[in-house]
Amino acid sequence: MDLRFRDVEPTEEERAAVDALLGPPASAWEGGPRTDADLRVAARAERSRDLLLPALHAVNDRVGWVSEGALDYICRRLTVPPAEAYGVASFYSLLSLEPRPARVLHVCTDLACQARGGDEVRRRVEERLGPPGEGWQPSPCLGLCERAPAALALEAGETPRATVYGPATAAEPAAHDETDGPVTDGPVTDGPVTDGPVASGPVASGPVTGWRDEETCEPAAEAAVPQAGRPELVLLRRIGVVDPASLDDYRAHGGYAALRRALRLGPAGVIREVLESGLVGRGGAAFPTGRKWDATARRPDHPHYLVCNADESEPGTFKDRVLMEGDPYALVEAMTVAAYATGCAKGYLYIRGEYPRATRRLEHAIATARARGLLGGDILGHGFSFDIELRRGAGAYICGEETAIFNSIEGYRGEPRSKPPFPVEKGLFGKPTVVNNVETLVNVLPILEHGAQAYAAVGTKESTGTKLFCVSGTVDKPGVYELPFGATLRDLLDLARPVGTLRAVLLGGAAGAFVTDPDVPLTFEGTRQAGATLGSGVVLVLNDTVDLKAILLRIAEFFRDESCGQCVPCRVGTVRQEEALHRLSGRVDQRDLLLLREVGRTMRDASICGLGQTAWNAVESAIDRLGVYS
Ligand SMILES: Cc1cc2nc3c(=O)[nH]c(=O)nc-3n(C[C@H](O)[C@H](O)[C@H](O)COP(=O)(O)O)c2cc1C
Ligand code: SF4
């Protein structure tokens, strides 16, 4: 097998970017002319396949795109067939295989931004910068919905930079391109890193981004939490209270009490507490966390892996970003507890590529925890070893699906796997794996701090504890809210204060459903009864000024774009759905409505994963409950 494309060499810059990640080539096999002796190295190099996405990121971050020479060099370094590496590189929207400017502006065109003037921002950007592709591109939800309309500029270089605009004025992001002046879309309230030197040796076991922290010109994380500082908060209690850059401050605010209790209880005791708490997953599927942990812990084959799903790409979802930016040590501690209970020595934190500030903060928190003996070998002297490797996604919603995330980490296209086998049996690298959402994991801290019974006393029988809701759209106070399960949509809206005449609320994001009854209880069982879903906690409020047909078209476009294309019902169905909605937005024809139902049912019944299975939900509810095309 010849690994070269066309014998194109990388530039010095591209080679340096890859070598900075992988180290200099250890053999001729990886970099120069091969000899028979080099063949022996191939088997060892094969195991590095999982560094493919980080290596692609390294070049993309440094140069802005991945040339054939760079791809060829990465293939040689990792012994990956070029066709496969090409398939992976072309899978992700943040990577480019074509030359492009170092600075690319990503303008959000998704639901929350659309409801708050995003189209106008897009139009003005296009006026100034030309058609998409050259210097800017429309982007699916950036997870900045409380600051809609939003845009994100990513600039490649030796020290790559990321700049967030939110709320972006119609002229601002493009104007910045022209003047290259500083961005001041909010007060610089991001506290300095005050934890001192974090380690004497290398601080990261995995690839790091090197993003510059001083670029942060964003409002502090607590600006996204209208309830910040209120005594009733549980999951958000430290946001705006604790310095996210200080481990000492985290400990002064109760940090690491949960891990200490876990170590006293032992793994089985921790799982018992989580089972008794009634905690269910907050990533969308609402699976009982204790059962997942128990099933993994019991598996005799090792190693076990922990994957924290921080991909958060469901349009309208931004709670995990706020948790990670405002209280990063909480996630590090929670992952450590989960690993202890389930027998994992290694955890991967898979964070979406569009979250530069959360990434920087978690890199720092992980390095600091490692330097202080809270990650690594013999944690707190209990003979328990665990470490976390941070992996960045690269712009693919489907990678949030729990098996697609494995393929992405392993260096393959982020396509979901068929289940069974389930992750607890055969997950990452074919080993038993626990996958949990950020919010789910952070819930484990109060369970251990106050006990399962105290935790389960809040909420309802089937939905225990509190829940984070991402409120956006036409409201006066968008942001992340924390309410005990059992509160109604009306309670939440009273806090967020809708503007104008309420038309509908999209619960659960693009994969969710529209509701109009403000008295629907915000619980798993309550929303199910109402024919909706809590999903990842999206509450997108729409008043009667919002063009609902345009919102439905955007939902359809999103699913068509994000379908991995692996199975026919979803690959073809999402295209047909979008086409029919386009026709319907011009002229209502009953045949198109019938076609939509047929296609929707087929996607729901016959798709491999949740993306295809839910791609028709929101459209169906808009037709049936809101009468959009009547
Ligand atoms: C298309 C698709 C995208 C998903 N995206 C996410 C995501 O971004 N974050 C997440 O936690 N779960 C996501 N999920 C759900 C995961 O598959 C999985 O159920 C979850 O990570 C399990 O964690 P939990 O039990 O803590 O909820 C997604 C599922 C599908 C089908
Ligand atoms: S349902 Fe869609 S996203 Fe999921 S595997 Fe099939 S084609 Fe891919």
Side-chain angles (χ1 to χ4, degrees), residues 279-289 292-293 307-314 317 319-320 350 352 396-405 416 419 434-441 511 536 558-559 562 609-614:
L279 174 66
V280 302
R282 308 296 201 235
F287 190 84
T289 308
K292 196 184 273 189
W293 287 20
V307 174
C308 170
N309 192 342
D311 197 44
E312 190 162 72
S313 308
E314 181 68 45
T317 317
K319 65 190 174 65
D320 295 343
Y350 189 98
R352 73 175 296 200
Y397 165 68
I398 192 58
C399 286
E401 197 278 340
E402 62 185 0
T403 57
I405 217 172
K419 293 183 271 191
V434 177
V435 188
N436 273 132
N437 169 259
V438 172
E439 183 188 347
T440 312
L441 287 165
S536 51
F558 172 79
F559 282 121
E562 300 295 340
C609 86
L611 186 146
Q613 290 159 10
T614 58

Side-chain angles (χ1 to χ4, degrees), residues 348-587:
Y348 287 86
L349 202 171
Y350 189 98
I351 188 166
R352 73 175 296 200
E354 295 88 342
Y355 279 180
R357 181 159 73 175
T359 304
R360 279 195 306 269
R361 291 194 170 169
L362 279 158
E363 279 173 354
H364 180 262
I366 291 167
T368 309
R370 191 180 297 126
R372 304 272 179 91
L374 293 164
L375 285 176
D378 193 24
I379 293 171
L380 292 173
H382 278 254
F384 155 58
S385 300
F386 174 64
D387 214 331
I388 300 175
E389 186 169 326
L390 195 141
R391 288 296 180 96
R392 278 159 67 205
Y397 165 68
I398 192 58
C399 286
E401 197 278 340
E402 62 185 0
T403 57
I405 217 172
F406 302 151
N407 281 341
S408 181
I409 292 172
E410 290 180 23
Y412 295 90
R413 285 166 71 87
E415 290 168 350
R417 301 175 181 171
S418 292
K419 293 183 271 191
F422 292 98
V424 295
E425 304 155 38
K426 276 190 186 304
L428 188 63
F429 303 114
K431 297 294 178 189
T433 305
V434 177
V435 188
N436 273 132
N437 169 259
V438 172
E439 183 188 347
T440 312
L441 287 165
V442 170
N443 265 280
V444 171
L445 304 180
I447 292 172
L448 287 172
E449 284 160 13
H450 308 296
Q453 283 186 356
Y455 180 91
V458 176
T460 66
K461 195 161 172 286
E462 287 176 62
S463 306
T464 56
T466 61
K467 175 80 194 92
L468 300 184
F469 296 100
C470 313
V471 185
S472 63
T474 53
V475 290
D476 194 30
K477 288 187 166 298
V480 179
Y481 289 84
E482 179 173 3
L483 290 178
F485 275 115
T488 62
L489 180 57
R490 188 188 301 278
D491 297 329
L492 184 59
L493 295 181
D494 283 349
L495 294 172
R497 297 197 210 134
V499 177
T501 307
L502 184 67
R503 172 80 167 94
V505 175
L506 179 62
L507 280 187
F514 290 94
V515 296
T516 50
D517 176 10
D519 292 317
V520 58
L522 296 175
T523 55
F524 294 110
E525 64 278 15
T527 48
R528 210 179 303 127
Q529 262 172 24
T533 170
L534 276 189
S536 51
V538 174
V539 179
L540 176 71
V541 182
L542 302 171
N543 67 18
D544 60 357
T545 67
V546 178
D547 180 353
L548 275 178
K549 288 181 186 168
I551 292 277
L552 294 186
L553 263 177
R554 174 57 207 151
I555 290 174
E557 181 191 45
F558 172 79
F559 282 121
R560 188 255 298 139
D561 256 359
E562 300 295 340
S563 164
C564 81
Q566 197 184 183
C567 59
V568 176
C570 170
R571 184 178 67 232
V572 178
T574 51
V575 175
R576 294 288 169 266
Q577 173 168 274
E578 190 191 2
E579 289 169 351
L581 289 175
H582 264 296
R583 288 192 297 272
L584 283 164
S585 56
R587 184 172 58 87

Side-chain angles (χ1 to χ4, degrees), residues 176-436:
H176 180 62
D177 242 44
E178 288 167 358
T179 60
D180 210 24
V183 183
T184 50
D185 58 349
V188 184
T189 47
D190 197 22
V193 174
T194 54
D195 249 9
V198 292
S200 47
V203 292
S205 70
V208 292
T209 62
W211 267 325
R212 234 170 49 189
D213 205 34
E214 65 266 33
E215 274 310 300
T216 303
C217 296
E218 296 182 56
E222 61 265 30
V225 180
Q227 299 162 299
R230 299 255 289 259
E232 67 271 24
L233 297 180
V234 180
L235 306 174
L236 299 175
R237 69 189 181 283
R238 277 186 287 254
I239 310 277
V241 174
V242 75
D243 176 356
S246 169
L247 176 55
D248 290 332
D249 204 27
Y250 177 67
R251 292 169 81 154
H253 287 90
Y256 282 97
L259 179 62
R260 287 180 195 285
R261 173 140 192 267
L263 293 170
R264 285 198 300 276
L265 288 172
V270 175
I271 291 176
R272 203 167 40 244
E273 287 280 303
V274 176
L275 276 168
E276 285 171 10
S277 73
L279 174 66
V280 302
R282 308 296 201 235
F287 190 84
T289 308
R291 275 174 51 199
K292 196 184 273 189
W293 287 20
D294 191 39
T296 309
R298 287 176 189 278
R299 295 293 303 184
D301 41 337
H302 283 268
H304 296 176
Y305 289 104
L306 171 69
V307 174
C308 170
N309 192 342
D311 197 44
E312 190 162 72
S313 308
E314 181 68 45
T317 317
F318 50 100
K319 65 190 174 65
D320 295 343
R321 171 179 63 77
V322 171
L323 281 174
M324 292 187 286
E325 288 182 347
D327 197 5
Y329 286 101
L331 182 56
V332 174
E333 182 186 0
M335 285 184 71
T336 312
V337 171
Y340 175 68
T342 54
C344 302
K346 173 102 192 232
Y348 287 86
L349 202 171
Y350 189 98
I351 188 166
R352 73 175 296 200
E354 295 88 342
Y355 279 180
R357 181 159 73 175
T359 304
R360 279 195 306 269
R361 291 194 170 169
L362 279 158
E363 279 173 354
H364 180 262
I366 291 167
T368 309
R370 191 180 297 126
R372 304 272 179 91
L374 293 164
L375 285 176
D378 193 24
I379 293 171
L380 292 173
H382 278 254
F384 155 58
S385 300
F386 174 64
D387 214 331
I388 300 175
E389 186 169 326
L390 195 141
R391 288 296 180 96
R392 278 159 67 205
Y397 165 68
I398 192 58
C399 286
E401 197 278 340
E402 62 185 0
T403 57
I405 217 172
F406 302 151
N407 281 341
S408 181
I409 292 172
E410 290 180 23
Y412 295 90
R413 285 166 71 87
E415 290 168 350
R417 301 175 181 171
S418 292
K419 293 183 271 191
F422 292 98
V424 295
E425 304 155 38
K426 276 190 186 304
L428 188 63
F429 303 114
K431 297 294 178 189
T433 305
V434 177
V435 188
N436 273 132

Side-chain angles (χ1 to χ4, degrees), residues 73-161:
Y73 184 58
I74 291 170
C75 289
R76 272 185 280 152
R77 294 297 316 271
L78 299 176
T79 317
V80 176
E84 287 189 35
Y86 184 87
V88 171
S90 57
F91 190 80
Y92 296 98
S93 70
L94 292 184
L95 305 176
S96 174
L97 289 162
E98 300 291 330
R100 63 175 179 183
R103 186 176 194 272
V104 177
L105 185 68
H106 300 259
V107 180
C108 182
T109 52
D110 231 312
L111 306 177
C113 288
Q114 207 177 344
R116 289 182 79 109
D119 284 346
E120 180 58 12
V121 174
R122 180 195 165 128
R123 201 183 57 74
R124 292 290 293 276
V125 167
E126 190 157 2
E127 248 171 36
R128 281 166 179 260
L129 302 182
E134 271 298 299
W136 80 278
Q137 58 189 57
S139 168
C141 181
L142 292 167
L144 293 163
C145 317
E146 85 282 9
R147 276 180 267 161
L152 169 71
L154 296 176
E155 188 171 344
E158 201 164 339
T159 309
R161 304 192 311 179

